[in-house]
Amino acid sequence: MIYVISDLHGYPFDKFLGLLKKARFADDDTLYILGDVIDRGADGIKYLQWSLNQPNVTLLLGNHEKMMRECDFLFDKNVSDSLKDLNGLQRINLTIWMANGAEPTVEGLFALSDEERTEIGLYLYALPVYKRIRVGEKEYLLVHSGLRDFRADKPLEEYSTDDMVWGRPALTDRYYDDIITVFGHTPSWFFGSAHEGKIIFSETWIDIDAGAASGFPPVLLRLDDMVQFSEKT
Ligand SMILES: [Mn+2]
């Protein structure tokens, strides 16, 4: 079975494990987390440390992991001990990330050993930006934000990383006719209060960001049969 979830944003890690248990997620199942495990909530670093050790869990790059990566100077103990040494671009990158809820992630990072911090730094650079998968008869494209400036005839390699992690689709947008695009990043409440806390299924895409960053429980979706799991179900 293939499961997808997105935008956990530091959602309590024990609750997340409870969700997997509820779904009877097993070693021969696969979970794709579509980015943004860190920031806003407290447990972001726990997701990074956990997922990098799970052979059947793939974390895709989200814009928050990308911001963290752009602050990789924080992984250098000497720099983190003396933030005054940061150059202009490093200060800008850190300011952007902090303005996007990075405080608990930065605190978590400083609490790690040098080895643990290095391991996470290398992991961030290895995160894939998108995945093409097949589940049963259906083709899926998994990507954090959907595709900015989408054109059906444009090869995926031509989208920049930012097009894939910072896009902001409209409810009326259409992607591929023969591939279902699954993304997060835009919480479903953004498309109107009727969608609050729920996954949105359109004809060509599925938005699985139920809004954990805004207090709505995340929803785990099983692609094989479209069964949903959350705190309530
Ligand atoms: Mn995002």
Side-chain angles (χ1 to χ4, degrees), residues 79-108:
V79 173
S80 65
D81 284 349
S82 57
L83 292 173
K84 65 176 170 36
D85 293 337
L86 298 184
N87 68 34
L89 181 61
Q90 289 172 325
R91 286 183 184 197
I92 289 167
N93 284 341
L94 182 58
T95 304
I96 292 171
W97 189 31
M98 295 305 281
N100 279 276
E103 184 63 31
T105 312
V106 172
E107 283 303 315

PDB file of all heavy atoms in Angstrom, residues 79-108:
ATOM      1  N   VAL A  79      29.997  28.662  13.371  1.00  0.00           N
ATOM      2  CA  VAL A  79      29.148  29.769  12.939  1.00  0.00           C
ATOM      3  C   VAL A  79      27.976  29.952  13.893  1.00  0.00           C
ATOM      4  O   VAL A  79      27.645  31.066  14.284  1.00  0.00           O
ATOM      5  CB  VAL A  79      28.636  29.534  11.501  1.00  0.00           C
ATOM      6  CG1 VAL A  79      27.623  30.606  11.118  1.00  0.00           C
ATOM      7  CG2 VAL A  79      29.793  29.546  10.529  1.00  0.00           C
ATOM      8  N   SER A  80      27.368  28.828  14.285  1.00  0.00           N
ATOM      9  CA  SER A  80      26.193  28.960  15.142  1.00  0.00           C
ATOM     10  C   SER A  80      26.563  29.544  16.496  1.00  0.00           C
ATOM     11  O   SER A  80      25.743  30.146  17.175  1.00  0.00           O
ATOM     12  CB  SER A  80      25.478  27.617  15.294  1.00  0.00           C
ATOM     13  OG  SER A  80      26.287  26.699  15.957  1.00  0.00           O
ATOM     14  N   ASP A  81      27.836  29.394  16.886  1.00  0.00           N
ATOM     15  CA  ASP A  81      28.283  29.997  18.141  1.00  0.00           C
ATOM     16  C   ASP A  81      28.520  31.491  18.004  1.00  0.00           C
ATOM     17  O   ASP A  81      28.601  32.209  18.983  1.00  0.00           O
ATOM     18  CB  ASP A  81      29.579  29.315  18.631  1.00  0.00           C
ATOM     19  CG  ASP A  81      29.291  27.950  19.249  1.00  0.00           C
ATOM     20  OD1 ASP A  81      28.098  27.661  19.480  1.00  0.00           O
ATOM     21  OD2 ASP A  81      30.243  27.194  19.491  1.00  0.00           O
ATOM     22  N   SER A  82      28.651  31.968  16.792  1.00  0.00           N
ATOM     23  CA  SER A  82      28.914  33.409  16.623  1.00  0.00           C
ATOM     24  C   SER A  82      28.160  33.917  15.393  1.00  0.00           C
ATOM     25  O   SER A  82      28.732  34.096  14.341  1.00  0.00           O
ATOM     26  CB  SER A  82      30.404  33.671  16.479  1.00  0.00           C
ATOM     27  OG  SER A  82      30.926  32.930  15.405  1.00  0.00           O
ATOM     28  N   LEU A  83      26.867  34.146  15.561  1.00  0.00           N
ATOM     29  CA  LEU A  83      26.018  34.556  14.433  1.00  0.00           C
ATOM     30  C   LEU A  83      26.481  35.883  13.831  1.00  0.00           C
ATOM     31  O   LEU A  83      26.147  36.208  12.700  1.00  0.00           O
ATOM     32  CB  LEU A  83      24.552  34.660  14.895  1.00  0.00           C
ATOM     33  CG  LEU A  83      23.892  33.333  15.264  1.00  0.00           C
ATOM     34  CD1 LEU A  83      22.510  33.568  15.872  1.00  0.00           C
ATOM     35  CD2 LEU A  83      23.761  32.428  14.050  1.00  0.00           C
ATOM     36  N   LYS A  84      27.268  36.633  14.572  1.00  0.00           N
ATOM     37  CA  LYS A  84      27.728  37.930  14.058  1.00  0.00           C
ATOM     38  C   LYS A  84      28.621  37.781  12.824  1.00  0.00           C
ATOM     39  O   LYS A  84      28.790  38.710  12.060  1.00  0.00           O
ATOM     40  CB  LYS A  84      28.445  38.712  15.153  1.00  0.00           C
ATOM     41  CG  LYS A  84      29.730  38.073  15.645  1.00  0.00           C
ATOM     42  CD  LYS A  84      30.409  38.979  16.654  1.00  0.00           C
ATOM     43  CE  LYS A  84      31.577  38.336  17.385  1.00  0.00           C
ATOM     44  NZ  LYS A  84      32.427  37.418  16.652  1.00  0.00           N
ATOM     45  N   ASP A  85      29.178  36.587  12.638  1.00  0.00           N
ATOM     46  CA  ASP A  85      30.068  36.383  11.493  1.00  0.00           C
ATOM     47  C   ASP A  85      29.332  36.121  10.182  1.00  0.00           C
ATOM     48  O   ASP A  85      29.949  35.952   9.142  1.00  0.00           O
ATOM     49  CB  ASP A  85      30.998  35.191  11.760  1.00  0.00           C
ATOM     50  CG  ASP A  85      31.971  35.495  12.893  1.00  0.00           C
ATOM     51  OD1 ASP A  85      32.211  36.693  13.147  1.00  0.00           O
ATOM     52  OD2 ASP A  85      32.471  34.541  13.512  1.00  0.00           O
ATOM     53  N   LEU A  86      27.999  36.069  10.226  1.00  0.00           N
ATOM     54  CA  LEU A  86      27.256  35.750   8.997  1.00  0.00           C
ATOM     55  C   LEU A  86      27.433  36.845   7.953  1.00  0.00           C
ATOM     56  O   LEU A  86      27.424  38.024   8.279  1.00  0.00           O
ATOM     57  CB  LEU A  86      25.761  35.600   9.310  1.00  0.00           C
ATOM     58  CG  LEU A  86      25.363  34.498  10.274  1.00  0.00           C
ATOM     59  CD1 LEU A  86      23.846  34.444  10.376  1.00  0.00           C
ATOM     60  CD2 LEU A  86      25.907  33.159   9.809  1.00  0.00           C
ATOM     61  N   ASN A  87      27.521  36.427   6.673  1.00  0.00           N
ATOM     62  CA  ASN A  87      27.590  37.431   5.609  1.00  0.00           C
ATOM     63  C   ASN A  87      26.176  37.877   5.221  1.00  0.00           C
ATOM     64  O   ASN A  87      25.183  37.368   5.747  1.00  0.00           O
ATOM     65  CB  ASN A  87      28.384  36.897   4.407  1.00  0.00           C
ATOM     66  CG  ASN A  87      27.650  35.765   3.685  1.00  0.00           C
ATOM     67  OD1 ASN A  87      26.421  35.760   3.604  1.00  0.00           O
ATOM     68  ND2 ASN A  87      28.408  34.815   3.159  1.00  0.00           N
ATOM     69  N   GLY A  88      26.073  38.816   4.307  1.00  0.00           N
ATOM     70  CA  GLY A  88      24.782  39.421   3.955  1.00  0.00           C
ATOM     71  C   GLY A  88      23.743  38.425   3.486  1.00  0.00           C
ATOM     72  O   GLY A  88      22.608  38.417   3.974  1.00  0.00           O
ATOM     73  N   LEU A  89      24.112  37.547   2.554  1.00  0.00           N
ATOM     74  CA  LEU A  89      23.146  36.577   2.014  1.00  0.00           C
ATOM     75  C   LEU A  89      22.704  35.597   3.107  1.00  0.00           C
ATOM     76  O   LEU A  89      21.525  35.233   3.188  1.00  0.00           O
ATOM     77  CB  LEU A  89      23.760  35.810   0.830  1.00  0.00           C
ATOM     78  CG  LEU A  89      22.835  34.789   0.181  1.00  0.00           C
ATOM     79  CD1 LEU A  89      21.580  35.456  -0.398  1.00  0.00           C
ATOM     80  CD2 LEU A  89      23.558  33.993  -0.917  1.00  0.00           C
ATOM     81  N   GLN A  90      23.650  35.205   3.947  1.00  0.00           N
ATOM     82  CA  GLN A  90      23.308  34.288   5.045  1.00  0.00           C
ATOM     83  C   GLN A  90      22.306  34.939   5.997  1.00  0.00           C
ATOM     84  O   GLN A  90      21.361  34.311   6.450  1.00  0.00           O
ATOM     85  CB  GLN A  90      24.579  33.889   5.811  1.00  0.00           C
ATOM     86  CG  GLN A  90      25.476  32.956   5.011  1.00  0.00           C
ATOM     87  CD  GLN A  90      26.822  32.717   5.689  1.00  0.00           C
ATOM     88  OE1 GLN A  90      27.373  33.615   6.332  1.00  0.00           O
ATOM     89  NE2 GLN A  90      27.344  31.512   5.545  1.00  0.00           N
ATOM     90  N   ARG A  91      22.487  36.228   6.269  1.00  0.00           N
ATOM     91  CA  ARG A  91      21.541  36.932   7.151  1.00  0.00           C
ATOM     92  C   ARG A  91      20.163  37.022   6.509  1.00  0.00           C
ATOM     93  O   ARG A  91      19.145  36.863   7.181  1.00  0.00           O
ATOM     94  CB  ARG A  91      22.056  38.336   7.473  1.00  0.00           C
ATOM     95  CG  ARG A  91      23.199  38.292   8.443  1.00  0.00           C
ATOM     96  CD  ARG A  91      23.691  39.663   8.837  1.00  0.00           C
ATOM     97  NE  ARG A  91      24.865  39.499   9.706  1.00  0.00           N
ATOM     98  CZ  ARG A  91      25.356  40.436  10.474  1.00  0.00           C
ATOM     99  NH1 ARG A  91      24.809  41.636  10.495  1.00  0.00           N
ATOM    100  NH2 ARG A  91      26.412  40.201  11.217  1.00  0.00           N
ATOM    101  N   ILE A  92      20.141  37.287   5.200  1.00  0.00           N
ATOM    102  CA  ILE A  92      18.845  37.367   4.493  1.00  0.00           C
ATOM    103  C   ILE A  92      18.146  36.014   4.533  1.00  0.00           C
ATOM    104  O   ILE A  92      16.961  35.916   4.862  1.00  0.00           O
ATOM    105  CB  ILE A  92      19.059  37.848   3.036  1.00  0.00           C
ATOM    106  CG1 ILE A  92      19.463  39.323   3.034  1.00  0.00           C
ATOM    107  CG2 ILE A  92      17.790  37.642   2.204  1.00  0.00           C
ATOM    108  CD1 ILE A  92      20.005  39.810   1.704  1.00  0.00           C
ATOM    109  N   ASN A  93      18.893  34.946   4.212  1.00  0.00           N
ATOM    110  CA  ASN A  93      18.293  33.607   4.210  1.00  0.00           C
ATOM    111  C   ASN A  93      17.766  33.227   5.595  1.00  0.00           C
ATOM    112  O   ASN A  93      16.688  32.657   5.717  1.00  0.00           O
ATOM    113  CB  ASN A  93      19.310  32.563   3.741  1.00  0.00           C
ATOM    114  CG  ASN A  93      19.516  32.600   2.239  1.00  0.00           C
ATOM    115  OD1 ASN A  93      18.674  33.131   1.511  1.00  0.00           O
ATOM    116  ND2 ASN A  93      20.615  32.062   1.771  1.00  0.00           N
ATOM    117  N   LEU A  94      18.542  33.571   6.614  1.00  0.00           N
ATOM    118  CA  LEU A  94      18.107  33.246   7.978  1.00  0.00           C
ATOM    119  C   LEU A  94      16.856  34.054   8.348  1.00  0.00           C
ATOM    120  O   LEU A  94      15.915  33.525   8.948  1.00  0.00           O
ATOM    121  CB  LEU A  94      19.242  33.520   8.969  1.00  0.00           C
ATOM    122  CG  LEU A  94      18.948  33.170  10.431  1.00  0.00           C
ATOM    123  CD1 LEU A  94      18.585  31.693  10.582  1.00  0.00           C
ATOM    124  CD2 LEU A  94      20.151  33.498  11.324  1.00  0.00           C
ATOM    125  N   THR A  95      16.815  35.310   7.947  1.00  0.00           N
ATOM    126  CA  THR A  95      15.656  36.158   8.248  1.00  0.00           C
ATOM    127  C   THR A  95      14.401  35.615   7.572  1.00  0.00           C
ATOM    128  O   THR A  95      13.330  35.536   8.186  1.00  0.00           O
ATOM    129  CB  THR A  95      15.928  37.604   7.785  1.00  0.00           C
ATOM    130  OG1 THR A  95      17.128  38.047   8.398  1.00  0.00           O
ATOM    131  CG2 THR A  95      14.794  38.529   8.191  1.00  0.00           C
ATOM    132  N   ILE A  96      14.533  35.206   6.304  1.00  0.00           N
ATOM    133  CA  ILE A  96      13.378  34.653   5.575  1.00  0.00           C
ATOM    134  C   ILE A  96      12.878  33.399   6.277  1.00  0.00           C
ATOM    135  O   ILE A  96      11.677  33.228   6.516  1.00  0.00           O
ATOM    136  CB  ILE A  96      13.758  34.316   4.108  1.00  0.00           C
ATOM    137  CG1 ILE A  96      14.044  35.598   3.320  1.00  0.00           C
ATOM    138  CG2 ILE A  96      12.629  33.515   3.428  1.00  0.00           C
ATOM    139  CD1 ILE A  96      14.639  35.359   1.946  1.00  0.00           C
ATOM    140  N   TRP A  97      13.813  32.526   6.647  1.00  0.00           N
ATOM    141  CA  TRP A  97      13.412  31.264   7.281  1.00  0.00           C
ATOM    142  C   TRP A  97      12.778  31.524   8.642  1.00  0.00           C
ATOM    143  O   TRP A  97      11.720  30.976   8.969  1.00  0.00           O
ATOM    144  CB  TRP A  97      14.627  30.329   7.396  1.00  0.00           C
ATOM    145  CG  TRP A  97      14.290  28.941   7.839  1.00  0.00           C
ATOM    146  CD1 TRP A  97      13.121  28.266   7.597  1.00  0.00           C
ATOM    147  CD2 TRP A  97      15.112  28.060   8.597  1.00  0.00           C
ATOM    148  NE1 TRP A  97      13.174  27.010   8.159  1.00  0.00           N
ATOM    149  CE2 TRP A  97      14.389  26.864   8.784  1.00  0.00           C
ATOM    150  CE3 TRP A  97      16.398  28.168   9.140  1.00  0.00           C
ATOM    151  CZ2 TRP A  97      14.903  25.775   9.489  1.00  0.00           C
ATOM    152  CZ3 TRP A  97      16.905  27.073   9.826  1.00  0.00           C
ATOM    153  CH2 TRP A  97      16.168  25.902   9.996  1.00  0.00           C
ATOM    154  N   MET A  98      13.396  32.423   9.450  1.00  0.00           N
ATOM    155  CA  MET A  98      12.839  32.717  10.776  1.00  0.00           C
ATOM    156  C   MET A  98      11.437  33.318  10.656  1.00  0.00           C
ATOM    157  O   MET A  98      10.553  33.020  11.459  1.00  0.00           O
ATOM    158  CB  MET A  98      13.749  33.693  11.549  1.00  0.00           C
ATOM    159  CG  MET A  98      15.125  33.155  11.913  1.00  0.00           C
ATOM    160  SD  MET A  98      15.151  31.608  12.832  1.00  0.00           S
ATOM    161  CE  MET A  98      14.775  32.199  14.477  1.00  0.00           C
ATOM    162  N   ALA A  99      11.229  34.144   9.619  1.00  0.00           N
ATOM    163  CA  ALA A  99       9.906  34.756   9.423  1.00  0.00           C
ATOM    164  C   ALA A  99       8.870  33.712   9.026  1.00  0.00           C
ATOM    165  O   ALA A  99       7.670  33.971   9.061  1.00  0.00           O
ATOM    166  CB  ALA A  99       9.994  35.843   8.350  1.00  0.00           C
ATOM    167  N   ASN A 100       9.333  32.521   8.638  1.00  0.00           N
ATOM    168  CA  ASN A 100       8.439  31.439   8.252  1.00  0.00           C
ATOM    169  C   ASN A 100       8.348  30.364   9.338  1.00  0.00           C
ATOM    170  O   ASN A 100       8.122  29.200   9.044  1.00  0.00           O
ATOM    171  CB  ASN A 100       8.889  30.838   6.918  1.00  0.00           C
ATOM    172  CG  ASN A 100       8.413  31.671   5.732  1.00  0.00           C
ATOM    173  OD1 ASN A 100       7.289  31.527   5.265  1.00  0.00           O
ATOM    174  ND2 ASN A 100       9.248  32.577   5.267  1.00  0.00           N
ATOM    175  N   GLY A 101       8.542  30.773  10.577  1.00  0.00           N
ATOM    176  CA  GLY A 101       8.259  29.866  11.693  1.00  0.00           C
ATOM    177  C   GLY A 101       9.381  28.935  12.101  1.00  0.00           C
ATOM    178  O   GLY A 101       9.127  27.879  12.681  1.00  0.00           O
ATOM    179  N   ALA A 102      10.640  29.316  11.809  1.00  0.00           N
ATOM    180  CA  ALA A 102      11.756  28.388  12.028  1.00  0.00           C
ATOM    181  C   ALA A 102      12.227  28.268  13.475  1.00  0.00           C
ATOM    182  O   ALA A 102      13.033  27.392  13.780  1.00  0.00           O
ATOM    183  CB  ALA A 102      12.940  28.794  11.153  1.00  0.00           C
ATOM    184  N   GLU A 103      11.754  29.129  14.364  1.00  0.00           N
ATOM    185  CA  GLU A 103      12.299  29.166  15.731  1.00  0.00           C
ATOM    186  C   GLU A 103      12.439  27.772  16.382  1.00  0.00           C
ATOM    187  O   GLU A 103      13.524  27.404  16.826  1.00  0.00           O
ATOM    188  CB  GLU A 103      11.431  30.098  16.597  1.00  0.00           C
ATOM    189  CG  GLU A 103      11.943  30.292  18.013  1.00  0.00           C
ATOM    190  CD  GLU A 103      13.315  30.976  18.086  1.00  0.00           C
ATOM    191  OE1 GLU A 103      13.614  31.802  17.202  1.00  0.00           O
ATOM    192  OE2 GLU A 103      14.069  30.659  19.014  1.00  0.00           O
ATOM    193  N   PRO A 104      11.359  26.955  16.422  1.00  0.00           N
ATOM    194  CA  PRO A 104      11.519  25.646  17.086  1.00  0.00           C
ATOM    195  C   PRO A 104      12.506  24.724  16.365  1.00  0.00           C
ATOM    196  O   PRO A 104      13.182  23.908  17.012  1.00  0.00           O
ATOM    197  CB  PRO A 104      10.111  25.032  17.072  1.00  0.00           C
ATOM    198  CG  PRO A 104       9.298  25.862  16.159  1.00  0.00           C
ATOM    199  CD  PRO A 104       9.971  27.189  15.998  1.00  0.00           C
ATOM    200  N   THR A 105      12.602  24.854  15.044  1.00  0.00           N
ATOM    201  CA  THR A 105      13.539  24.015  14.288  1.00  0.00           C
ATOM    202  C   THR A 105      14.973  24.404  14.605  1.00  0.00           C
ATOM    203  O   THR A 105      15.842  23.541  14.795  1.00  0.00           O
ATOM    204  CB  THR A 105      13.277  24.137  12.776  1.00  0.00           C
ATOM    205  OG1 THR A 105      11.879  23.979  12.532  1.00  0.00           O
ATOM    206  CG2 THR A 105      14.048  23.090  11.994  1.00  0.00           C
ATOM    207  N   VAL A 106      15.232  25.705  14.675  1.00  0.00           N
ATOM    208  CA  VAL A 106      16.583  26.181  14.984  1.00  0.00           C
ATOM    209  C   VAL A 106      16.968  25.755  16.401  1.00  0.00           C
ATOM    210  O   VAL A 106      18.080  25.270  16.635  1.00  0.00           O
ATOM    211  CB  VAL A 106      16.670  27.715  14.818  1.00  0.00           C
ATOM    212  CG1 VAL A 106      18.011  28.244  15.323  1.00  0.00           C
ATOM    213  CG2 VAL A 106      16.485  28.096  13.350  1.00  0.00           C
ATOM    214  N   GLU A 107      16.043  25.901  17.333  1.00  0.00           N
ATOM    215  CA  GLU A 107      16.306  25.452  18.708  1.00  0.00           C
ATOM    216  C   GLU A 107      16.624  23.957  18.731  1.00  0.00           C
ATOM    217  O   GLU A 107      17.562  23.518  19.401  1.00  0.00           O
ATOM    218  CB  GLU A 107      15.080  25.715  19.605  1.00  0.00           C
ATOM    219  CG  GLU A 107      14.916  27.166  20.018  1.00  0.00           C
ATOM    220  CD  GLU A 107      16.145  27.722  20.734  1.00  0.00           C
ATOM    221  OE1 GLU A 107      16.673  27.018  21.614  1.00  0.00           O
ATOM    222  OE2 GLU A 107      16.581  28.827  20.379  1.00  0.00           O
ATOM    223  N   GLY A 108      15.842  23.174  17.990  1.00  0.00           N
ATOM    224  CA  GLY A 108      16.041  21.727  17.931  1.00  0.00           C
ATOM    225  C   GLY A 108      17.397  21.376  17.335  1.00  0.00           C
ATOM    226  O   GLY A 108      18.077  20.448  17.780  1.00  0.00           O
TER     227      GLY A 108
END
